[in-house]
Amino acid sequence: MECAAKGRGSRCVGPPLRRCVRCKAVAYCSLSHQISHWNDHKEECERLQEQMGNVDIVNEFPFTFREEATTQFSQKKKKSHADPVSLSKQLSCWKEYYDWRSIPTDSPVALLLQWPLTIYHAVQLNIHRMPNCETSKQIINIHYLGPDKELFQVAAFGELLALLPQYHVHIELVGPAVPEHRDGEIINLDIFACCDDGDCKCKMPNESRSSAVTLRLLKGFYHDRFRDVVKDGFPHLIVAPNAGIAAYPSWKESIELIHLLNVPAVFTDFCEEAAHLAASCLSTVTGCELALPIKLNPFRQPLAVEDSVLHLPCYSNCFVFGI
């Protein structure tokens, strides 16, 4: 945690132990730094106070695994199972997903599955806004912007085979974090996690499934690689996880392009304040209000991320919003 006035004038004199008594979301190293920062903070204080009132809701998860859990899962754990054609209702939270997939709540698999579940949630939120989706061919073309850690966890996207069994899902992962040697790489996923029961329905032969998931990696900013991305077709949906729109000026050209495409675009961010600042940037660039107001993502990653300035709860893919 850093002093909210760090880098503004005099140097910090110690740890940030003085919290704003009103919002309790920011802290300072000294009274003088708190006073010097007030002209900036007074614009956000009431908003942060309201966001701090939602802390218990944001921190609520159904899991029983320890906070120290990592993505290094035990290979001895029984894997989940689900008949991919049996999902008869929209999943609305981790508890429903874990029940459907018969996963015990002490499994930290949600740390990885936040990526495909967030895509699934984005599709469900916007399916009514995707009239150009090729329903006859059951194809969903998704442009996925700014991948980072996902590049080392691409197998997790195979879960979309179970979540969207009626679709062929093609995902273009476009961002500067794509390694040079993987630029243009195509990945076909035809399996999702199965259980140990050899007779289980989840062992359905691949050729009998109507779904498929294909990924393509492209290095660079979306607006720079757009011509390459759309060679195989325009998107039905754009997803930008943990976008940090307010923090990166390079988003401006991509947002202008997305606005011209007139397709649903869903963004996520780590905390509610980051989502608020991003929404303000989106409105400034596009001249429009959000089509999808800021909402808590029910499939946010259940492992807290420490914010350097705010005491707000932060999780990967924590809040969703869109244009």
Side-chain angles (χ1 to χ4, degrees), residues 1-14 16 27-30 32-34 36-37 40 308-309:
M1 188 71 186
E2 295 180 351
C3 172
K6 182 179 179 180
R8 304 170 63 88
S10 60
R11 298 175 61 181
C12 289
V13 297
Y28 302 92
C29 65
S30 65
S32 62
H33 268 198
Q34 184 173 3
S36 68
H37 189 245
D40 291 332
S308 61
V309 177

Side-chain angles (χ1 to χ4, degrees), residues 147-174:
D148 189 4
K149 294 180 180 179
E150 306 95 305
L151 298 171
F152 305 98
Q153 302 166 355
V154 292
F157 288 87
E159 186 63 12
L160 291 169
L161 290 164
L163 291 163
L164 301 170
Q166 70 274 40
Y167 291 108
H168 289 260
V169 181
H170 178 72
I171 306 177
E172 301 274 1
L173 293 94
V174 187

